[in-house]
Amino acid sequence: MKTSLGAKTIVYPTPVFVVGTYDAEGRPNVMTVAWGGICCSKPPCIAISVRKATYTYGNLMERKAFTVSVPSRDQVAEADYFGMVSGRDEDKFAATGLTPVRSELVDAPYVQEFPLALECRVLLVSNLGMHTQFVGEILDIKAEDDCLGADGELLVERIAPVIYAPGESAYYAVGERLAKGFAHGRRFGTEKRA
Amino acid sequence: MKTSLGAKTIVYPTPVFVVGTYDAEGRPNVMTVAWGGICCSKPPCIAISVRKATYTYGNLMERKAFTVSVPSRDQVAEADYFGMVSGRDEDKFAATGLTPVRSELVDAPYVQEFPLALECRVLLVSNLGMHTQFVGEILDIKAEDDCLGADGELLVERIAPVIYAPGESAYYAVGERLAKGFAHGRRFGTEKRA
């Protein structure tokens, strides 16, 4: 039996995306968002949502560019802090000791120490209500060398990304590998019944 | 050092959302998507992206409603199958033995056996290229009773949701709890420095 919980923003998993932008003076800022995800394969696009009141919102509207840095599990405290305070009030890079790297492709900085960074230019802005959604075209992905396998493939276990659970407001690790996609489901359907 | 991987749709985590719709004849269909995420808190909204060629696309355009059912880790084979074949060719509920439940709030079915279901009406449709993004207002969330704690809170460990890793096309479990949000990051910033 299922119980109704009302109209809430709870689903699993939600991501821990650290959105990097420059402000009007060119100061790097980062903000953590859990509202977002990939939204198109061609052009490759990722969506992130922020409130109008955030410092990042103004930066995004001005620069039309952002990065998404993906923290590793040992960087969850930094990521949490990035979502707790405003770049108007604090220099989040200075406070954490992390390093902003200027993207060569878009007008935005990413976090050097985080294992994965996506560089994006804003394609579409949709005001949905409390949040505004920014769709960014992914121009490049950069990964730490020690997260790449022998054939240049990304190793999830090395990245050790973090999941956010909105219901209880807690971070979780990625656990064990369960199955290969577009393969495990073959037991059902025509192939099975043929 | 970071290595450039090119313009790809790789980020972690991406979700395993099973999108439920009715076709023109009222037959229930499900399709698994990894492109999506929460996109607004008020009104509560979730975005999902599908290709125009999918059966689900036509259903969404016609019915302007969908559900998102969240599979548990022991339902990953069913979820994988739902992403492998088209509802044009196969009755995915019949093939898996899962049960479609008609939503009382929106014109779409959800999966009875999956632990969590979101009922959504389409608010916004954006053609982004290969994928079209559908933003749905979440009208209700329904959870299996055995996934709720004593105070009615959702227990992530009971839901045991699944993560998709697009780089290698594999499913992962949610691992251990790392930290409480809006708390763990207090070690940085003004509170620490005061």
Side-chain angles (χ1 to χ4, degrees):
Chain A
M1 270 291 290
K2 280 190 168 57
T3 293
S4 166
L5 302 180
K8 293 181 175 169
T9 48
I10 298 180
V11 79
Y12 309 100
T14 69
V16 182
F17 290 159
V18 172
V19 176
T21 55
Y22 284 120
D23 74 4
E25 280 75 47
R27 285 176 305 200
N29 185 44
V30 271
M31 174 195 179
T32 301
V33 308
W35 292 174
I38 301 284
C39 56
C40 187
S41 294
K42 278 188 189 180
C45 292
I46 189 167
I48 54 151
S49 290
V50 302
R51 289 175 299 111
K52 274 206 177 74
T54 61
Y55 202 49
T56 294
Y57 176 89
N59 296 354
L60 286 167
M61 294 300 276
E62 179 85 15
R63 303 272 179 164
K64 302 289 186 196
F66 64 93
T67 62
V68 173
S69 296
V70 175
S72 195
R73 54 177 292 164
D74 57 353
Q75 295 157 335
V76 68
E78 286 85 347
D80 190 45
Y81 165 71
F82 291 161
M84 290 174 68
V85 298
S86 172
R88 267 189 213 93
D89 306 320
E90 302 196 21
D91 180 336
K92 303 189 203 179
F93 280 103
T96 53
L98 295 176
T99 314
V101 177
R102 177 178 293 277
S103 166
E104 292 174 5
L105 298 172
V106 301
D107 189 14
Y110 60 86
V111 181
Q112 179 175 288
E113 291 82 359
F114 285 11
L116 195 67
L118 285 65
E119 298 159 274
C120 309
R121 67 183 178 100
V122 173
L123 280 192
L124 187 69
V125 181
S126 302
N127 180 9
L128 300 175
M130 182 184 282
H131 285 79
T132 299
Q133 185 193 56
F134 294 84
V135 171
E137 180 181 353
I138 303 165
L139 299 186
D140 194 21
I141 294 181
K142 290 184 171 64
E144 278 299 309
D145 291 335
D146 63 5
C147 297
L148 298 173
D151 299 321
E153 76 278 19
L154 272 169
L155 302 172
V156 181
E157 289 81 0
R158 291 281 183 83
I159 294 171
V162 178
I163 295 148
Y164 184 68
E168 53 180 298
S169 181
Y171 300 98
Y172 284 78
V174 169
E176 76 271 30
R177 186 177 162 124
L178 295 173
K180 179 82 184 147
F182 300 94
H184 195 45
R186 286 221 182 92
R187 69 177 76 173
F188 304 108
T190 44
E191 287 186 78
K192 176 195 163 204
R193 286 177 283 151
Chain B
M1 272 290 291
K2 281 190 166 60
T3 293
S4 166
L5 302 181
K8 293 182 175 168
T9 47
I10 298 180
V11 79
Y12 309 101
T14 69
V16 181
F17 290 160
V18 172
V19 175
T21 54
Y22 284 120
D23 74 4
E25 280 75 48
R27 286 177 304 202
N29 185 43
V30 272
M31 175 197 176
T32 301
V33 307
W35 292 174
I38 301 285
C39 57
C40 187
S41 293
K42 277 187 190 177
C45 293
I46 189 167
I48 53 150
S49 290
V50 302
R51 288 175 298 113
K52 273 205 178 76
T54 61
Y55 202 50
T56 294
Y57 175 89
N59 297 353
L60 286 166
M61 294 300 277
E62 178 86 16
R63 303 273 179 162
K64 301 290 186 193
F66 64 93
T67 62
V68 173
S69 297
V70 175
S72 196
R73 56 177 291 163
D74 58 351
Q75 294 157 335
V76 68
E78 286 84 348
D80 190 46
Y81 166 71
F82 291 162
M84 289 173 69
V85 298
S86 171
R88 265 188 215 95
D89 307 318
E90 302 197 20
D91 180 336
K92 303 189 203 180
F93 280 103
T96 54
L98 294 176
T99 314
V101 177
R102 177 177 292 276
S103 166
E104 292 174 4
L105 297 171
V106 301
D107 188 14
Y110 59 86
V111 181
Q112 178 176 289
E113 291 81 0
F114 284 11
L116 195 67
L118 285 65
E119 298 159 275
C120 308
R121 67 184 179 99
V122 173
L123 281 191
L124 187 69
V125 181
S126 302
N127 180 9
L128 300 175
M130 181 183 284
H131 285 79
T132 299
Q133 187 193 53
F134 293 84
V135 171
E137 180 181 354
I138 303 164
L139 299 185
D140 194 21
I141 293 183
K142 290 182 169 66
E144 277 300 309
D145 291 337
D146 63 6
C147 297
L148 298 173
D151 299 321
E153 77 278 18
L154 271 171
L155 303 172
V156 181
E157 289 81 0
R158 291 282 182 82
I159 294 172
V162 178
I163 295 148
Y164 184 68
E168 53 180 299
S169 181
Y171 300 98
Y172 284 78
V174 168
E176 76 270 32
R177 185 177 163 123
L178 296 174
K180 178 82 183 148
F182 300 94
H184 194 48
R186 286 220 182 93
R187 68 176 78 173
F188 302 108
T190 46
E191 286 186 79
K192 174 196 162 203
R193 287 176 283 151

